């Protein structure tokens, strides 16, 4: 022996009670972590609500639109540009593309023409 000693491990004979307490302690650790995450999420939501209210109140005094309003307008504008897309000059369907590539008769396959959907009150008539 060289004079160094290694710490000895406890005996591996764990009883049912030891396993129960190990599982209980593991569950308590996970529950504590989940609770900390929920508290963090709740604090973020509270600060978000405070900032929205502060933005709305400051817009009353400055006369400028609130940041929330500007963000909502930008979101709506982006949503209108993204969907629904109106087809351009090029075809968007595979069958029409295939007929254009093979120089088949143009009247054989056609793309569906874009049409506006009527408003709800027009659709009921």
């Amino acid at each position: 022996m060289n004079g160094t000693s290694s710490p000895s491990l406890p005996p591996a004979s764990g009883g049912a009670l030891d396993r129960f307490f190990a599982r209980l302690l593991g569950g308590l650790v996970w529950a504590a972590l989940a609770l900390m995450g929920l508290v963090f999420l709740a604090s973020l939501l509270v600060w978000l609500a405070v900032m929205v209210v502060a933005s709305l109140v400051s817009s009353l005094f400055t006369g400028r639109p609130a940041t929330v309003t500007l963000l909502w307008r930008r979101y709506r504008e982006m949503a209108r540009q993204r969907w629904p897309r109106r087809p351009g000059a090029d075809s968007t369907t595979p069958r029409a593309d295939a007929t254009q590539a093979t120089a088949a008769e143009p009247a054989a396959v056609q793309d569906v023409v874009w049409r506006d959907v009527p408003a709800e009150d027009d659709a009921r008539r």
Side-chain angles (χ1 to χ4, degrees), residues 9 11 22 27 29 34 51 56 75 79 88 94 98 103 105 114 125:
L9 298 173
V29 167
M51 297 314 293
L56 292 172
Y75 166 75
E105 183 180 328
W114 178 267
R125 293 181 191 168

Side-chain angles (χ1 to χ4, degrees), residues 37-92:
L38 289 175
V39 167
F40 179 72
L41 179 65
S43 67
L44 284 179
L45 291 176
V46 166
W47 275 110
L48 178 65
V50 166
M51 297 314 293
V52 165
V53 169
S55 173
L56 292 172
V57 169
S58 69
S59 71
L60 292 175
F61 292 113
T62 61
R64 296 179 183 168
T67 305
V68 178
T69 307
L70 294 175
L71 289 173
W72 179 252
R73 287 179 190 166
R74 173 155 300 184
Y75 166 75
R76 294 298 299 158
E77 180 183 323
M78 287 172 52
R80 282 190 201 107
Q81 289 176 359
R82 183 167 176 87
W83 185 84
R85 291 181 184 239
R86 292 190 167 125
D90 295 334
S91 169
T92 57

